[in-house]
Amino acid sequence: MSFTQLGLTPDLLRAVADSGYTEPTPVQNEAIPLVLAGRDLLAGAQTGTGKTAAFVLPMLQRLHASRVGDWRHIRALVLVPTRELAMQVEESVRTYGIHKRVRSTTIYGGVGFFPQVRAIRSGPEIVVATPGRLLDHVGQGTIDLSRIEILVLDEADRMLDMGFIRDIRKIMALLPARRQNLLFSATFSDEIRRLADGLLDRPAFVQIAARNKPSELIEQVIHPVDRERKRELLSHLVMSRKIDQALVFTRTKHGANRLAEQLERDGIAVAAIHGNKSQPQRIRALADFKAGRVTLLIATEVASRGLDIDALPHVVNYEMPMVPSDYVHRIGRTGRAGIDGMAVSLVCVDEAPLVHQVERLLGRLIPVETIPGFEPNRDIRPEPIRLRTGQGGGRPMGRSRPGGAPRRHVNPAPARSHASVGRWPVASGTSIGGGPRRDTRRSYGRARP
Ligand code: AMP
């Protein structure tokens, strides 16, 4: 299904397109029409499934549709377990609500109380809050929750794990009886079910399998390298038999062709597979790769979809993807059918923010291993990433957008709390490669005869 079939208004579709999303995730497909219809919802969906947009988009649409006169009061409340999640959810509200002139704010502990009072007084329509600090505001009489129309409990299981159940119940008691309730949780313990029973009115139920979590069988590694030396490093990894056969991802068709030509000159058997290749050419490339006649198959994101290659030992991200979930799709091509796989990313200083995004999505750091002789030059400064379209001119990072409106950066600053900050020191412009090192003598992937 496409986003246009979900019943969203054009301004929200525009915001979605600006975010670079081309099709809804399963939880978005299922939840958006239900929420738009005003149903209460119980959704089993983990972080990484696209659950935030699944409730933010229809919430924005419903609030907008019923806006009347003076709406300078809080109409929707999203309760979340942590301040990081509060910031992320509110960022999504601002991103998707950009054309709706929606006012929103966050409320969480560990920061000053009075700036929040001022923000509440300015009349936000949507508040994203952690339960404890929200109750502090209730206690001080600085917030009025009596006109809430939509309540969302996001990551409800984590809130219960963190001991927020009493706070949540207190907050629920302050809300008007007539409202729409949405509960998102990765797991369903008895306690969650009890909470859901007391909260939800004849809810629709949506259960989504975890997505964006790569198989445990896939080992991941980042090789920091200067942008001009990536091809040389890839050749080195093949020549030194650290990689015997791999699917290699580039961002553009032009990049795939150029890399294939260069690697051929290095004496490596390669084939490129992308949208400009004819179907017979693609079939032949794939057959050669499967038969082992081709060592590296160079592909773009789109061309790789649906490639059926069993037991692929390596995936190489020659360039990091612009959208973090694409990383998971790419590396999901290895580590299949019980075979150990290896996902290797060749990362230059410009791509540090893209690594941040991916690590945030994965919820963990990817080990860094510098290959001797390819240590990044610390004097090289990051440059904005440009996509080469093959028709000449570059365009700033991202995907094609209808209308040519200014593009939102797909790459928001990573949450400060994330452990990898400092590991990829982007803002300061220092070079990457300062991360933890591993034993570089070890080869990886399959055991070799
Ligand atoms: P969430 O599960 O809401 O934390 O979202 C996980 C990640 O998926 C975020 O980086 C979102 O920006 C991204 N995302 C959400 N919806 C889509 C979509 N339809 N297509 C691609 N990425 C998406």
Side-chain angles (χ1 to χ4, degrees), residues 13 103 189 204 333 364 387 449:
L13 293 175
R103 281 196 303 271
S189 61
R333 310 236 145 250
R364 65 186 177 95
L387 286 183

Side-chain angles (χ1 to χ4, degrees), residues 22-23 282 300-307 326 329 333 399:
T22 47
E23 49 184 72
R282 293 164 61 132
T300 55
E301 194 69 43
V302 175
S304 79
R305 299 252 159 91
L307 280 190
D326 286 349
H329 294 146
R333 310 236 145 250
R399 309 178 154 195

Side-chain angles (χ1 to χ4, degrees), residues 3 21 23-25 28 46-53 323-325 361:
F3 273 107
Y21 308 155
E23 49 184 72
T25 65
Q28 292 162 3
Q46 299 187 344
T47 297
T49 54
K51 66 180 170 59
T52 313
V323 176
S325 48
L361 178 66

Side-chain angles (χ1 to χ4, degrees), residues 1 15 116 122 129 213 218 231 236 256 275 331 362 397 400 405 407 413 416 427 431:
M1 204 185 290
Q116 294 179 350
S122 74
K213 288 284 172 243
I218 306 172
R231 197 262 312 142
H236 170 80
I331 76 169
L362 300 176
M397 3 188 352
S400 62
R407 187 173 206 297
R416 261 191 298 272
S431 127

Side-chain angles (χ1 to χ4, degrees), residues 266-332:
D266 290 346
I268 297 171
V270 291
I273 189 165
H274 55 65
N276 284 2
K277 296 273 180 186
S278 68
Q279 192 60 11
Q281 282 175 319
R282 293 164 61 132
I283 290 169
R284 197 173 56 240
L286 195 55
D288 285 347
F289 186 66
K290 283 183 174 178
R293 289 187 290 272
V294 157
T295 306
L296 299 178
L297 184 63
I298 323 279
T300 55
E301 194 69 43
V302 175
S304 79
R305 299 252 159 91
L307 280 190
D308 176 26
I309 307 165
D310 287 338
L312 183 65
H314 288 104
V315 162
V316 175
N317 290 304
Y318 188 77
E319 288 156 326
M320 288 296 280
M322 306 304 294
V323 176
S325 48
D326 286 349
Y327 176 88
V328 180
H329 294 146
R330 286 182 181 188
I331 76 169

Side-chain angles (χ1 to χ4, degrees), residues 23-101:
E23 49 184 72
T25 65
V27 67
Q28 292 162 3
N29 260 330
E30 298 206 28
I32 289 174
L34 293 165
V35 180
L36 283 178
R39 295 283 304 271
D40 276 13
L41 181 73
L42 180 60
Q46 299 187 344
T47 297
T49 54
K51 66 180 170 59
T52 313
F55 64 81
V56 169
L57 287 167
M59 175 172 81
L60 286 167
Q61 183 156 325
R62 280 181 63 75
L63 290 175
H64 189 78
S66 58
R67 248 184 215 168
V68 277
D70 170 32
W71 44 271
R72 294 181 86 87
H73 58 266
I74 304 169
R75 301 180 64 205
L77 175 64
V78 183
L79 288 180
V80 295
T82 63
R83 73 188 219 170
E84 287 75 28
L85 190 58
M87 290 190 284
Q88 280 173 37
V89 170
E90 202 233 356
E91 168 73 25
S92 296
V93 168
R94 277 188 275 130
T95 302
Y96 306 135
I98 186 143
H99 306 297
K100 291 210 179 293
R101 293 192 303 119

